Each structure stands twice: as C-alpha cells, then as structure tokens.
Amino acid sequence: MFSLIRSMWLVFLHMFHKRETYQYPEEKAPLPARWRGRIALTRDPDGGERCVGCYLCAAACPVDCISLQATEDPDGRRYPAFFRINFSRCIFCGFCEEACPTYAIQLLPDFEMAEYNRQNLVYEKEHLLINSQGKYPGYNYYKVAGMAIGGKDKGEANQEEPPVDIKSLLP
Amino acid sequence: MQATAINYWWVIGGVLFTLLNTAAGLIWLERRMLALWQDRYGPNRAGPFGLFIVLADTLKLFFKEDWIPPFADKVVFVFAPAIVVASVLMSFTVIPFAPNILVADLNIGLLFFLAMSSLGVYSIVLGGWASNNKYALLGAMRGASQMISYEVFMGLALMGVVLLSGSFNLREIVEAQKGMWNIVPQFLGFVIFLIAGVAETHRLPFDIPEAESELVAGFHAEYSGMKFGMFFIGEYLGVTLVSAMVVALYFGGWMGPAFLPGVVWFILKTFVFISLFILMRAAMPRPRYDQLMEYGWKVLFPLSLLNLLVTAAIILIMKEA
C-alpha cells in the first residue's frame, strides 16, 4: 500500500521534469554517425565509383533487395551497369555495408525517405550514387589493390613491391 | 421540489451538454496529463494545445466502418453500448452541482446512483455475450464479476455518509457537511469508495476486462466505429460520475469560499479527482485477476463493514452524551 502511494507521488513529481520529446518536423533528433539509414554508393577521392560489381552485397542481403550487373570500362575498371535497391523490401540491417570489400555501399544517418508511391522506393543507380566519400575519406580501392587497370600496372599500388621477375635468378 | 431560479429544461440541457462535452474533452485531457507525467507532450499539433484531437477522434469514429460480425446476436450487440452511456447519464440526474442546479431532487438519490451503476454491468455482459467469441465472453465475465463484487462494499462504504447526514438525498448530504466535510470522519469510507469507484468504472489499475495483453480487448473486442465510441465515452462519463460522487459525498459538493459560485467549486473539485484517476493510471500496475477479487472480498469488504460498525457506534455514543 505504501509503495503504491509512493509510486503515485513519484509519478506526480514528473510534472516538473523537462519533457523529452523532439518536435519532429521542426526539430530533428540527433542521429549518431553510425545510424543505419538511407543506403548510398560512394565515390573515390578522385571521383571514380568505388563499386566494383562483386555482388557480395547482393549475396549478403537477407531480403534480396539489391540487384546489380557488373561491366568493365576500357581501362579495365569494373563498375555496375545498373544498381538497384528496392527500399520497400530493405530492412536496413547493414549487412551489405559489412560485405562490401571496397567501402562503396554505405548506410547514412538519414531516414526521411517516405513515398506515396511504392514504385518510387525502388532506387536506381542515379539515386544511390553520391558525390562523397561517405564514412571513409581518402580511401581509394584501385590505389591499394594489386590489380592492373589503365594507367596503373601491377606492382604500382601503395605499399606494394613490383612483381618478381620469374625469368631471372637474382633475388 | 425546491424553488429553482433556473428553468428546469435549461438545467437538463445544460447538464447533458456539459457532461457529453466533458467526456469528449477528457480524452484530450487524459492524453495530455499522461504525457505530462511521462515527460512527453501528448497531442499538441491539431489546433490550440491539440484540442482538435477530440474532433478528429470523433470524426474518425463516425467514418469508420460500423461492422457487425455475422456471427453476433445483432439486436443485443447494437443495444449493449447504449446501456453504459444511458445508465451513467441517468446517475447524473441525482447529483447536485449547486443548490439550484440539479435535475432530480430524489429522496433516494444515493440508492438510485447505486442501482444505475449496477445496471452498467448489463452492457458489459451483453456486449461480451452478443459478440459470440470466447475472448469477449471472458472479458465480459471478468468485468461483471469485478463490478458486482466491488459494488457490494461500495454501497456499504457509503452507508457511513448516510449515517452521518441522516438522509439518502444527495442535496441534503451536501448540506449536512456545512460544519465539516465527510472526508474527516469518514476517511476510511472515502478510501474504500474511491477504490470501489475506480473498479466500478474499469479504469486502471482495475481495467481487468480490457487486459489487452491477455484478452484481445476484453468485452468490446468485436466493436468498431461509434459503438466502440459509446463504450469509450461511457468509461469517461463513469470517471466523471465517480469523481462527482466523491466530491458530493465526501468533499462538501459546492461548498467553498464565497468568491466563486458553487458550480465552479464543484467543477474544480471534480477536476481534481479526475486528475487523481489519471495519475493512478499513470502510476499503478495492473493486479492479477484473482488478486483483484481476493483484495475486494477479503480486505475491502471487511474494512467497509468495520467502518460502518465504528461509525454507527460513535454516532450512538455522541447521542448519549
């Protein structure tokens, strides 16, 4: 009985507490930097696409809402011909971001993507690509990978030694 | 009948109008108060302070599909929600809001109130029965047993007041409190009546029939649209009724310092008790069903008998002296 009275009194005292509501449309709640919201494809520091079309994100996706098709440009860089995410299926689990080997696909702290038409929730590549490096500034996949593309041969990447000449006996 | 300065029909119309608007306004009030005690804002967008939320709710209830289940007992199903509102509104006829504002100056006002609140059981039982599904029936059964058992000592708790004032007439009961409000000599009775009243109106912490975690929604699981709205309004009217009764019986009705008219005092006191109801809702956990019944029969019932006994004894001793 006493505890009931006490709890009523304590609840009554809440009248004088500060209210914790964010008046949403005018006042946005602060989202942490790692908040998993809208998905975006990021770019290199020099403006090239990071995505190399390896399909790992589509394989990791638990609801299969990512579909893409990889192609190569004349330089030998792979990039997705189309990249489609159906956000009406997406559950924002971030597995695609974890699976991505080139930090291309990233989840950003933004959730305001409601639509009146379900078809508008299917984002194509032009909606997904952003002119930003996202959460990993300065990272350039082709600068650290040992792959030969136009303008960069094998062994020219960062922290990479030139390939061993297998025709010579010298160490 | 006493000479009323105000035309009779004006009183009836005014009381009805005020009550129905109060019941609707309580929806807003309750949401705002709960928000206040839970560090939130509650409805604050629609109109000033979110007052239009009531209008929006009402419109929504009117435009919702009023679906009657094909397996329901149609006549009883439609009839049940009306009984709550009707019985509660009938009870309001005997409440004296001010010396000259009361609908019926019945000599048996208290008994009438108890009888009408007993009739409220019918709506719950019939609603649950006519819905023809097991959850609704279970909810109705619980609600009915709760109401009936709590009504027993609700009446007994009120007998102390009747002993003190020597009348069942509510106006005379209020006038008998000129010297001292009944809350002082009848504190135990007041507490018991308050608890019984909360149980009577199915408010938290005694909202067992609507235990949405166990039963779908209790006795009104199959109701929709304005029929559900009737149950809803009935509940809020019941809250208002019990608050008004507490004020009339224990807190001196319209009595108060003369710088405000009597009606205003009555409304203010009633509002305080409505707020107390909402505070209870914000603060208390819901007891288990068997605990509820045990508490009623094994604790409150003997207490109310004891209260009656002691009150009667003291009155006799005072008469001797």
Side-chain angles (χ1 to χ4, degrees):
Chain A
M1 194 68 214
F2 169 73
S3 66
L4 285 180
I5 306 273
R6 179 175 164 271
S7 72
M8 274 174 78
W9 173 244
L10 288 176
V11 169
F12 179 77
L13 286 184
H14 267 266
M15 256 163 86
F16 311 105
H17 286 209
K18 203 171 144 292
R19 306 193 196 225
E20 295 179 359
T21 311
Y22 290 109
Q23 297 288 342
Y24 165 61
E26 296 89 28
E27 181 191 356
K28 305 265 195 278
L31 299 175
R34 289 180 56 189
W35 169 276
R36 298 197 305 270
R38 191 166 60 91
I39 300 180
L41 290 171
T42 54
R43 289 180 186 269
D44 280 339
D46 48 9
E49 285 181 50
R50 272 181 180 158
C51 178
V52 295
C54 65
Y55 301 105
L56 280 177
C57 51
C61 183
V63 288
D64 279 344
C65 64
I66 304 179
S67 68
L68 67 152
Q69 173 80 53
T71 51
E72 280 190 19
D73 66 352
D75 281 346
R77 278 183 72 122
R78 284 167 57 104
Y79 69 95
F82 70 83
F83 198 107
R84 192 174 296 140
I85 298 182
N86 184 351
F87 276 112
S88 64
R89 290 269 171 266
C90 179
I91 59 170
F92 299 97
C93 61
F95 285 1
C96 48
E97 186 178 11
E98 288 182 32
C100 185
T102 63
Y103 295 144
I105 192 166
Q106 291 179 13
L107 278 75
L108 311 178
D110 169 29
F111 55 87
E112 292 159 334
M113 40 195 300
E115 298 280 355
Y116 285 106
N117 192 341
R118 191 174 286 270
Q119 201 55 44
N120 295 344
L121 281 167
V122 178
Y123 279 41
E124 297 290 344
K125 191 170 141 183
E126 58 264 26
H127 311 122
L128 293 166
L129 254 182
I130 55 174
N131 280 324
S132 154
Q133 302 170 49
K135 290 182 256 189
Y136 301 96
Y139 174 80
N140 191 334
Y141 171 68
Y142 285 103
K143 289 266 167 63
V144 295
M147 189 185 164
I149 54 165
K152 162 178 165 292
D153 212 348
K154 280 201 189 311
E156 292 176 12
N158 300 346
Q159 302 177 10
E160 194 186 24
E161 293 180 359
V164 177
D165 184 3
I166 52 171
K167 301 269 193 319
S168 91
L169 288 172
L170 292 174
Chain B
M1 285 300 293
Q2 55 169 348
T4 46
I6 309 166
N7 187 350
Y8 195 65
W9 293 104
W10 277 110
V11 173
I12 294 178
V15 167
L16 199 64
F17 179 80
T18 315
L19 282 178
L20 290 175
N21 279 301
T22 308
L26 276 185
I27 299 169
W28 173 82
L29 182 82
E30 176 164 44
R31 288 177 66 180
R32 287 292 292 206
M33 299 285 262
L34 283 176
L36 182 66
W37 285 314
Q38 291 164 3
D39 302 343
R40 307 183 279 113
Y41 280 99
N44 64 344
R45 295 271 160 183
F49 300 105
L51 265 169
F52 292 171
I53 200 85
V54 178
L55 202 67
D57 276 342
T58 319
L59 278 175
K60 187 204 77 173
L61 282 174
F62 269 116
F63 283 109
K64 259 182 88 160
E65 186 189 2
D66 210 344
W67 187 70
I68 300 177
F71 46 82
D73 184 340
K74 285 190 179 46
V75 179
V76 183
F77 189 84
V78 175
F79 196 56
I83 301 178
V84 188
V85 181
S87 66
V88 175
L89 282 177
M90 292 273 269
S91 312
F92 271 108
T93 54
V94 294
I95 290 185
F97 296 96
N100 54 353
I101 303 180
L102 87 161
V103 177
D105 196 10
L106 284 182
N107 278 332
I108 49 158
L110 251 184
L111 292 179
F112 185 81
F113 158 75
L114 287 172
M116 281 299 146
S117 63
S118 310
L119 280 183
V121 179
Y122 273 105
S123 88
I124 287 168
V125 176
L126 293 178
W129 172 255
S131 296
N132 201 3
N133 83 22
K134 293 187 180 63
Y135 284 117
L137 186 60
L138 276 170
M141 212 176 63
R142 290 175 163 207
S145 51
Q146 172 187 331
M147 271 179 109
I148 288 169
S149 48
Y150 273 74
E151 224 144 54
V152 171
F153 49 82
M154 187 174 179
L156 278 172
L158 293 183
M159 286 312 115
V161 177
V162 175
L163 284 175
L164 280 175
S165 50
S167 164
F168 277 107
N169 186 326
L170 275 165
R171 189 175 48 80
E172 285 173 24
I173 287 177
V174 175
E175 278 164 6
Q177 298 176 52
K178 270 216 166 61
M180 180 170 56
W181 288 357
N182 279 338
I183 176 83
V184 182
Q186 279 292 308
F187 184 73
L188 187 62
F190 158 71
V191 170
I192 292 168
F193 178 71
L194 194 71
I195 293 170
V198 172
E200 194 66 21
T201 50
H202 300 301
R203 296 282 303 173
L204 278 127
F206 299 122
D207 63 340
I208 299 280
E210 297 166 27
E212 65 277 346
S213 45
E214 310 143 41
L215 311 168
V216 182
F219 59 92
H220 53 57
E222 299 286 353
Y223 281 86
S224 60
M226 212 51 217
K227 291 199 198 65
F228 170 76
M230 290 286 254
F231 277 124
F232 208 61
I233 290 287
E235 180 179 315
Y236 283 109
L237 276 174
V239 172
T240 319
L241 172 69
V242 172
S243 309
M245 285 301 288
V246 168
V247 170
L249 292 166
Y250 294 98
F251 280 84
W254 63 78
M255 310 269 179
F259 59 87
L260 285 175
V263 188
V264 178
W265 277 115
F266 195 92
I267 288 169
L268 273 178
K269 291 174 187 175
T270 311
F271 172 77
V272 167
F273 277 97
I274 291 171
S275 305
L276 184 76
F277 269 63
I278 297 171
L279 177 61
M280 275 182 178
R281 176 176 179 167
M284 287 188 185
R286 185 189 293 139
R288 217 170 51 221
Y289 182 62
D290 54 336
Q291 291 170 333
L292 175 93
M293 296 299 280
E294 198 163 307
Y295 183 64
W297 283 108
K298 293 185 180 172
V299 179
L300 290 179
F301 183 58
L303 267 182
S304 57
L305 280 173
L306 191 75
N307 176 47
L308 184 61
L309 198 74
V310 171
T311 311
I314 288 176
I315 288 177
L316 275 176
I317 291 166
M318 300 278 269
K319 271 205 177 129
E320 290 281 321

